[in-house]
Amino acid sequence: MSVIRLFDFQEAAVARVLDAVNDWTAACAAHGPPRLGRQPIPFVGLLKAVTGAGKTPMLAAVCQGLGPAVVLWTSKSSAVVDQTYKNLQGKYAGLLPPGTRVIRERPSRGDWEHLIAAKAGVDIWVTTVGSWNEAEAVAAGGSADARLNMHRPHPDWGGRLSPWEQLRTRLKRSLWVIYDEGHNQTPTQLDQLVRLEPMGFLLASATPPASELFGKLNEAIRDDDIFGPIASQARVSISTADVVKAQLLKHTLEVLDYQAEPEAMLDEVIDRFRRLEKAVHRERSSTCPRAVYVVEESNPRRGSTELSRPVAIWNHLRRRKIPAEEIALYTQTKELPEDAEKVSSLNALQDRHRHIIFNRALQEGWDDPEAYLCYFDGETNSYTRIQQIIGRVLRQPMGRHSGEEVLNTATLFIRVPNRKYEEIIRQIKNELSLYALDADDPFGGSAIRLKTRGEPLKAISVKSGGKRFSVPNYVLGDAQLAGAIRQVEARGRSMWAEADLIAKGTRRSRTIALEKGSDRVKFEEFANNIRTPNADYFRRKLLLTNRWAAHQVHADSYAGRSFHQASCPRSAAQEALATLAGAVATAYEQSVEYQKNEIAGERSWHVAPHRPSGADLLTFRHATHASYSRKSFNKDEREFADALDSFGKGTWCRNPSTPGEGWALPLPSKVGDSLNFFPDYLWWVKRTCLAIDTTGRHILQAKVRGKLMSIEVPMIVLATRGKVAPDFATLQDDEGWTFARARRGMPPVPQHCDTLDDLVKALYDLA
C-alpha cells in the first residue's frame, strides 16, 4: 500500500492550522471559552485552496494535533464520503495519529461504545450530511440516510439515547467537526452542528462558512483581544503557485463553445480523445486519459418517445468505434442497450472505462486526474452547472507535467446561448482568479491559463537571436548552521520537567467530569491532554519560520531524549522550542548564499514563446516578443515597459510569473506569501543582463534585499515608485522613482530619479 507524504506547502498549511488550534485551546483553558450569550463559540479553521491541492490529506494530518478527540467527518456527497473512508483507512492512514479508529456511517456496538467512553486516542466517524441533517432525513423518506439518522435512537448499536444526544453530552474527549467539500454546506446544516457544541470546525472550502448564527459568532469574536487574532490566524490560504509548482494541476483550461448539434460536439470530443492517446503513446506514458459526459436527465420525460440522453450518447460513441467495454453509464437510466454497462458506485469503475456518462451524483464526488475532456449535454445557461467540474478535470496525472502540451490541458465542451456566453466565461475567469499565483500580487494573474475560441492563445514566438536571450539559474546553497545545530542537539540531551511540559496555568492531571457548567475545568483538561511530540512541534515551527532552513536540519539533530517528550500548547517547553526554531532560521537566512544550478538541463533559463492570457495585445519594438497580452501588466509595469521600449537600446522581455515558465530566484526567507522572486523584466543591454522588479516589495525587505543583490548575472535591480528613505525602511515621497542595485564592496543605497526615463537611462549607464 502506497503511503502519502505531504508536500512542503501542505505541511506548512497543517502547521498553521495546528498553531491556531493549540492557541485557541490554551486560551480557552486560561480564560474559559468565548460565548455569545450562553452559546459557546467554537474554533473555526478554514483551509482555502484550489480543488486538487490535497485538502483531505491535510485535514487528516491536522488530526494529529487535536489530542484525544472524536472527529465527525462529514460531506454532502455519499461519493465523497465513500472515497474519504477508503483513503483514511488506506493511503492517508500514515497521516493520522497511531491507533486512530475510522468508522463508517453505521458503527458496530463495540465501536460506538469506544467512541463515547474512551478518554484517549482519536476516533473518526465518516458520515454523509443526510445521516444527521433533520431536514434531509425527512426528504429522504425511507432511504438509508433517513434510517441512519443520528437524531433517532438505534438500540442495536447505539443504545437508548440518540447518537446525536450522546455526542452532545456524553463524550470524554473533545468533539471536532471536519466538513469536507465545504462549499456545499448550507446555513441550516452549520447551525445544527453548532448545537453539538464542538470544540471546533475544520472546513475545506474556498469561502468562509455562511449562516446567520455563524455570522453572529464571527462578529462576537472579531473584536475580542484574545480570540480575535487566533480566529484570523485559523483561516489558511494556500498559494496555487505552490500547487502548480508541485505539478498537481493541469496548467491550461480550454473551453470550447459550440453552436452546433450534439453529434458534432461529440465528434470533437472523440477526435480530441484520440489526440490524447497519440500524445500518451509518443511520451510512452502510463496515463489512461478519460472523457466524461454530463447529462441533466437519466430518462426521457414521461410520454416522450425519444431516447434518453445517456443512451443517445452511448449509441454515438459506439458508431464512432468506441468499444462497449470502454464505456460506463453512471446514471439511473431504466432502459439500456443490451451490451451497455451500468455502474452504481465509484468503486465499480474500472481502468478500462475510458468514456463515462454520468449525472450530478458523480459530478460532486469523483476525483480522477486522468479525466481530460468533459462534455456537457444540452444547453448550458448557468455557470453553476460547470462549477464543480472545473476542479475535477484540473488534477494532473501522476503529479507530473508532460512535455506534450495536450497532456497538461483540460477541455470543457459546452453549448451556451450567445446572450450568456460572456457572463459564463467571466465567471470561469473569476473562479480561476481564486487560484492566484501570489496572494500578495493581485495582478499576478491565474496559475491556470484559460483558453477559449474567442481568445485563442496562439503562442507569440521569440524574435530572431533568441539563443542569446538566456540567464543562469541559481539555487540556495548550504548555510553555515553548525553552531545552531549544536544548540538543537544540546537541547535534546536535557529532559524537560513535567511542569515545563504542561500548559501554563494548568495544574490538574486527574480526570475531570465534563458535566454541564464546568467549561473552565473541561478546557483546562483538554488543553493538558493536547500533547505534541517535541520533535514534531520543533519541525513544525521551523517549517513555518523558514521552509528552506527546515530542509537543512536533519531529523537526527532533534532525535535526543527531550524531543521524544510531548508538551502542551503554551507550555514552557514549546515556548523554548519556538525560540530555538527562530534562532536556526535566523542563522540560515544570514549565512545562506546563492550558487549556480549545475544540474544538466537546468543550468540556464531561456526566453520561450509568450503565451498570452487574452486577445488584447500590446505591441513593442525592442522586446524579445513582438507583443504581449495587456493583462500581463499592471499600471506601473505598463509604464515601465513603455519606458524601456522607447529608450530603444538592448532587448527586454516581460518575465512570466508562472512557475516553470519565468526566471525565478528562490528567496532565503518569505516576502509576503512568496518564497520565489520573479523580476518583472529581463533587459539584455551591452554585454550583460539586468533583472528589474518594479513592485517595491523586495526593496523594503532587508532580509532579502542584500541576498538578491549578491547575484552578478543578471544584475538585480529593485525599483519602486516614490522616494525611499536612506535606510530603506519607508517611502518619504510619492514623486519620482527609486531604484537600488549592488555596489562592489559597498552596501546598496536607494537612488532617486525624477522620472522613469531618467531611471532607465541611469540603469543603462550602469550596465
Side-chain angles (χ1 to χ4, degrees), residues 232-305:
S232 178
Q233 175 191 348
R235 295 186 173 183
V236 176
S237 295
I238 294 174
S239 165
T240 299
D242 286 332
V243 188
V244 173
K245 187 175 181 182
Q247 303 185 50
L248 297 178
L249 299 176
K250 301 179 179 82
H251 56 53
T252 300
L253 175 66
E254 184 171 12
V255 180
L256 297 180
D257 171 50
Y258 285 79
Q259 299 301 312
E261 293 302 313
E263 288 74 15
M265 295 175 65
L266 289 168
D267 286 343
E268 181 72 12
V269 176
I270 295 167
D271 291 343
R272 291 291 182 109
F273 180 80
R274 288 173 176 157
R275 229 186 293 172
L276 283 166
E277 288 186 309
K278 290 177 181 177
V280 166
H281 179 73
R282 285 193 299 270
E283 198 171 75
R284 298 180 180 178
S285 170
S286 60
T287 298
C288 294
R290 280 175 161 164
V292 296
Y293 306 81
V294 184
V295 297
E296 287 293 292
E297 302 291 341
S298 296
N299 296 288
R301 295 177 184 272
R302 181 174 296 179
S304 173
T305 58

Side-chain angles (χ1 to χ4, degrees), residues 526-539:
F526 284 164
N528 198 28
N529 281 336
I530 295 182
R531 297 224 181 183
T532 304
N534 287 340
D536 292 347
Y537 180 80
F538 174 76
R539 173 172 165 75

Side-chain angles (χ1 to χ4, degrees), residues 319-334:
R319 285 195 295 270
R320 287 295 306 271
K321 309 300 183 185
I322 302 296
E325 62 268 19
E326 292 186 5
I327 309 171
L329 291 106
Y330 189 4
T331 65
Q332 291 78 42
T333 308
K334 295 175 182 175

Side-chain angles (χ1 to χ4, degrees), residues 165-393:
E165 187 64 18
Q166 293 181 63
L167 287 175
R168 196 177 68 84
T169 62
R170 291 193 171 184
L171 287 183
K172 303 297 189 292
R173 295 169 287 177
S174 59
L175 176 65
W176 290 85
V177 176
I178 291 181
Y179 202 135
D180 206 352
E181 300 287 325
H183 50 267
N184 285 322
Q185 63 204 238
T186 68
T188 303
Q189 293 166 13
L190 290 170
D191 292 351
Q192 282 189 57
L193 290 168
V194 170
R195 293 204 295 271
L196 279 176
E197 297 190 2
M199 178 80 81
F201 290 82
L202 298 166
L203 306 173
S205 174
T207 55
S211 78
E212 184 177 355
L213 178 56
F214 259 84
K216 292 178 180 178
L217 298 177
N218 184 52
E219 189 175 336
I221 282 293
R222 189 181 302 135
D223 298 326
D224 189 285
D225 291 340
I226 296 170
F227 291 96
I230 304 174
S232 178
Q233 175 191 348
R235 295 186 173 183
V236 176
S237 295
I238 294 174
S239 165
T240 299
D242 286 332
V243 188
V244 173
K245 187 175 181 182
Q247 303 185 50
L248 297 178
L249 299 176
K250 301 179 179 82
H251 56 53
T252 300
L253 175 66
E254 184 171 12
V255 180
L256 297 180
D257 171 50
Y258 285 79
Q259 299 301 312
E261 293 302 313
E263 288 74 15
M265 295 175 65
L266 289 168
D267 286 343
E268 181 72 12
V269 176
I270 295 167
D271 291 343
R272 291 291 182 109
F273 180 80
R274 288 173 176 157
R275 229 186 293 172
L276 283 166
E277 288 186 309
K278 290 177 181 177
V280 166
H281 179 73
R282 285 193 299 270
E283 198 171 75
R284 298 180 180 178
S285 170
S286 60
T287 298
C288 294
R290 280 175 161 164
V292 296
Y293 306 81
V294 184
V295 297
E296 287 293 292
E297 302 291 341
S298 296
N299 296 288
R301 295 177 184 272
R302 181 174 296 179
S304 173
T305 58
E306 295 181 354
L307 286 175
S308 67
R309 288 307 300 162
V311 171
I313 294 170
W314 187 92
N315 285 341
H316 191 85
L317 295 177
R318 292 292 290 118
R319 285 195 295 270
R320 287 295 306 271
K321 309 300 183 185
I322 302 296
E325 62 268 19
E326 292 186 5
I327 309 171
L329 291 106
Y330 189 4
T331 65
Q332 291 78 42
T333 308
K334 295 175 182 175
E335 296 184 11
L336 295 174
E338 186 176 343
D339 53 346
E341 185 176 356
K342 184 176 180 179
V343 297
S344 57
S345 71
L346 291 173
N347 293 333
L349 288 173
Q350 306 293 319
D351 290 344
R352 59 182 168 81
H353 292 136
R354 312 289 294 281
H355 299 264
I356 303 167
I357 304 167
F358 68 89
N359 57 20
R360 293 187 186 91
L362 184 59
Q363 180 174 333
E364 295 201 354
W366 189 44
D367 292 339
D368 188 344
E370 294 180 316
Y372 275 90
L373 310 174
C374 181
Y375 160 89
F376 289 89
D377 192 58
E379 197 169 69
T380 299
N381 285 281
S382 168
Y383 168 67
T384 56
R385 188 179 182 218
I386 62 178
Q387 185 174 17
Q388 286 295 309
I389 284 293
I390 288 180
R392 303 299 166 198
V393 298

Side-chain angles (χ1 to χ4, degrees), residues 513-529:
L514 306 181
E515 66 272 7
K516 202 173 182 72
S518 59
D519 285 331
R520 180 67 172 273
V521 171
K522 176 171 68 175
F523 277 97
E524 285 181 341
E525 188 66 21
F526 284 164
N528 198 28
N529 281 336

Side-chain angles (χ1 to χ4, degrees), residues 11-182:
E11 279 195 85
V14 169
R16 290 170 63 189
V17 172
L18 285 179
D19 262 14
V21 166
N22 290 344
D23 287 350
W24 183 277
T25 309
C28 287
H31 307 284
R35 291 181 176 275
L36 178 63
R38 298 181 64 182
Q39 172 70 56
I41 299 177
F43 171 89
V44 178
L46 181 66
L47 200 58
K48 178 179 177 179
V50 54
T51 298
K55 292 189 286 289
T56 302
M58 285 187 273
L59 290 171
V62 169
C63 292
Q64 291 202 30
L66 301 181
V70 171
V71 178
L72 181 63
W73 192 309
T74 190
S75 180
K76 183 176 178 64
S77 166
S78 59
V80 172
V81 166
D82 288 340
Q83 202 168 59
T84 300
Y85 176 72
K86 178 182 176 181
N87 289 337
L88 290 178
Q89 289 195 312
K91 62 182 180 180
Y92 299 158
L95 301 173
L96 298 170
T100 297
R101 292 178 177 228
V102 183
I103 304 166
R104 173 70 171 98
E105 210 75 73
R106 182 187 289 273
S108 68
R109 179 180 289 275
D111 282 340
W112 180 253
E113 290 175 351
H114 180 275
L115 182 147
I116 293 298
K119 299 174 183 176
V122 173
D123 284 9
I124 299 177
W125 193 11
V126 187
T127 70
T128 57
V129 168
S131 68
W132 53 263
N133 184 285
E134 291 175 296
E136 292 202 11
V138 172
S143 74
D145 281 347
R147 291 194 300 273
L148 292 171
N149 193 268
M150 293 186 199
H151 296 277
R152 303 174 183 177
H154 295 274
D156 56 332
W157 56 268
R160 183 175 55 83
L161 287 178
S162 71
W164 186 268
E165 187 64 18
Q166 293 181 63
L167 287 175
R168 196 177 68 84
T169 62
R170 291 193 171 184
L171 287 183
K172 303 297 189 292
R173 295 169 287 177
S174 59
L175 176 65
W176 290 85
V177 176
I178 291 181
Y179 202 135
D180 206 352
E181 300 287 325

